[in-house]
Amino acid sequence: MPELQQKVALITGAARGIGRAVAEVFVREGAAVMIADLPASDGAATAAALRAAGGQAAFVAADVTQDADAMVAATVTRFGRIDILVNNAGVFYTADALTTPFAEWQKAFDVIFHGALHCSRAAGQVMVAQGQGGRIVNVSSVNGFLGAAQSSHYNTAKGAVDQLTRCLAVEWAPHGILVNGVAPGFVETPMAVVDGVNEHETPAFQEFYVRRRRIPLARPAQPEEIAEVVCFLASDRCTYITGHTIVVDGGLSITF
């Protein structure tokens, strides 16, 4: 029997990359999914593709920084309930801690951390009212516990998401809501392409991370490999894990 049969999931930032892979795995496992992404994204096309493949999927155009209540309401209106929330929406760009205007630094924090907080609160209220528990999975990053130049905004926001995971897990455990996270390393997604260049294909990446095995498995992850871990954490097979962020990085963070 599919692992997510009769479950309803809301996935933010699901038009492409890891979010889309999560949606595809969830549909394969029987869930109805609401694709939430910005209006100009490929979210409608993603939902249409999932329906064409026989799945239950819909799209809501939404910004996680201001539309959390609306996207949760749209999910309940369309599918009748919400059992799973995947906080995947994110942004990445370089920023200098000394010179980048604070508004630009704050933008990453607003999307990554405040977006996860707002969506968790909105979905958590519905889950509590339903009285049947639920699952929240936050897509974090190894950057949440590693340092990097030009990335203090992104790394700090991801670290805050990890702490949010722990705190909500404690606070919402009496309601049967399990809150966990995944922390990917390098993943083959559109975010890996900067100025038209896939950073995973550059000579520097291939030399340091692949040939010298800074990543012990000597390759970036495919989005589906992250999605499978998200699926486990969202499923009824996960019954005694809460408050943890599972690292899925091919061994990147255990080397030096």
Side-chain angles (χ1 to χ4, degrees):
M1 180 178 178
E3 292 188 354
L4 302 180
Q5 193 74 40
Q6 299 183 334
K7 301 292 186 181
V8 174
L10 169 61
I11 308 166
T12 68
R16 61 183 69 85
I18 292 173
R20 176 165 182 156
V22 170
E24 291 172 346
V25 170
F26 277 21
V27 166
R28 183 196 73 197
E29 295 300 327
V33 300
M34 178 63 79
I35 306 294
D37 217 312
L38 295 172
S41 72
D42 299 324
T46 297
L50 293 172
R51 290 194 300 270
Q56 297 185 71
F59 169 64
V60 57
D63 181 338
V64 296
T65 66
Q66 55 190 3
D67 299 324
D69 290 332
M71 69 177 73
V72 169
T75 304
V76 175
T77 297
R78 176 65 178 82
F79 296 115
R81 58 182 298 108
I82 182 167
D83 304 292
I84 301 162
L85 168 67
V86 179
N87 286 309
N88 170 72
V91 293
F92 180 80
Y93 48 89
T94 58
D96 187 285
L98 287 175
T99 61
T100 297
F102 181 72
E104 284 297 301
W105 196 95
Q106 181 72 26
K107 181 170 67 176
F109 211 86
D110 285 342
V111 173
I112 294 168
F113 173 70
H114 289 133
L117 173 61
H118 294 321
C119 291
S120 295
R121 281 167 53 91
Q125 289 168 2
V126 174
M127 291 176 183
V128 170
Q130 290 172 169
Q132 297 178 328
R135 301 286 190 273
I136 296 175
V137 183
N138 296 319
V139 178
S140 183
S141 169
V142 294
N143 288 59
F145 56 87
L146 298 175
Q150 306 292 308
S151 191
S152 63
H153 58 319
Y154 181 82
N155 291 34
T156 302
K158 289 296 189 180
V161 167
D162 293 343
Q163 185 67 335
L164 180 68
T165 296
R166 289 185 281 268
C167 291
L168 293 186
V170 173
E171 189 166 340
W172 294 353
H175 301 291
I177 300 172
L178 276 59
V179 186
N180 288 294
V182 295
F186 292 104
V187 186
E188 285 287 2
T189 70
M191 288 183 70
V193 179
V194 180
D195 296 328
V197 177
N198 186 333
E199 68 171 0
H200 301 161
E201 297 175 355
T202 63
F205 184 93
Q206 289 293 312
E207 175 61 29
F208 187 61
Y209 291 103
V210 177
R211 283 187 284 275
R212 297 189 188 182
R213 289 190 178 268
R214 176 67 171 79
I215 303 174
L217 295 186
R219 62 174 178 83
Q222 293 301 312
E224 296 77 11
E225 293 176 295
I226 311 303
E228 293 289 355
V229 181
V230 174
C231 183
F232 166 73
L233 293 173
S235 74
D236 289 339
R237 284 195 298 145
C238 178
T239 59
Y240 203 63
I241 301 173
T242 195
H244 288 280
T245 297
I246 309 301
V247 178
V248 191
D249 69 352
L252 171 67
S253 58
I254 63 170
T255 60
F256 62 90

